[in-house]
């Protein structure tokens, strides 16, 4: 699996690729990425999610399942009636998010 964060003049996109799929999440700003770096503040079981980005014309919701060390990425109308979702490793996700935050200047 590969996670890329692409900066196109302040308009950010997260691309998640694996052997059998590619997920593109657009309409992100730096503040969204910083919020996602606190993914452990969410809770999938309690439906405490972060709403950030658009994919396939729908809203993207992010949550953490700490017990399984997964980030759940849900695309759809809301975080309960979503259309599709993927699960990725939380440690790898945070590694890539933090690489983006700390390897480049952030201007607020």
């Amino acid at each position: 699996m590969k996670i890329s964060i692409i900066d196109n003049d302040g308009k950010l996109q997260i691309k998640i690729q694996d052997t059998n799929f590619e997920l593109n999440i657009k309409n992100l700003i730096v503040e969204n990425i910083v919020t996602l770096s606190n993914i452990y503040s969410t809770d999938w079981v309690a439906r405490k999610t972060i709403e950030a980005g658009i994919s396939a014309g729908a809203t993207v919701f992010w949550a953490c399942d700490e017990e399984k060390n997964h980030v759940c990425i849900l695309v759809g109308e809301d975080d309960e009636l979503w259309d599709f979702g993927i699960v990725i490793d939380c440690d790898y996700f945070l590694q890539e998010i933090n690489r983006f935050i700390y390897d480049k200047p952030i201007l607020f």
Side-chain angles (χ1 to χ4, degrees):
M1 177 167 301
K2 181 177 179 184
I3 299 173
S4 304
I5 302 174
I6 301 148
D7 186 348
N8 187 7
D9 293 327
K11 297 176 183 173
L12 304 178
Q13 172 181 335
I14 295 178
K15 180 183 292 283
I16 302 171
Q17 297 171 293
D18 205 0
T19 306
N20 297 313
F21 72 88
E22 178 176 310
L23 177 62
N24 293 293
I25 302 163
K26 302 175 183 178
N27 290 4
L28 295 163
I29 57 175
V30 171
E31 289 86 349
N32 296 135
I33 303 300
V34 171
T35 300
L36 290 173
S37 73
N38 295 311
I39 195 73
Y40 282 120
S41 69
T42 66
D43 183 356
W44 167 241
V45 175
R47 299 300 189 262
K48 288 174 43 181
T49 60
I50 296 170
E51 182 179 331
I54 301 290
S55 184
T59 306
V60 180
F61 300 89
W62 309 74
C64 181
D65 182 340
E66 276 191 73
E67 186 177 304
K68 296 179 181 173
N69 198 41
H70 290 157
V71 174
C72 305
I73 304 170
L74 312 166
V75 179
E77 184 177 328
D78 60 36
D79 58 0
E80 292 204 25
L81 293 174
W82 41 276
D83 297 312
F84 68 92
I86 65 169
V87 175
I88 61 175
D89 178 75
C90 193
D91 293 333
Y92 177 59
F93 174 77
L94 287 173
Q95 171 188 314
E96 295 306 309
I97 292 292
N98 288 324
R99 181 188 326 262
F100 177 82
I101 291 171
Y102 297 109
D103 285 355
K104 66 180 287 156
I106 296 177
L107 304 174
F108 288 94

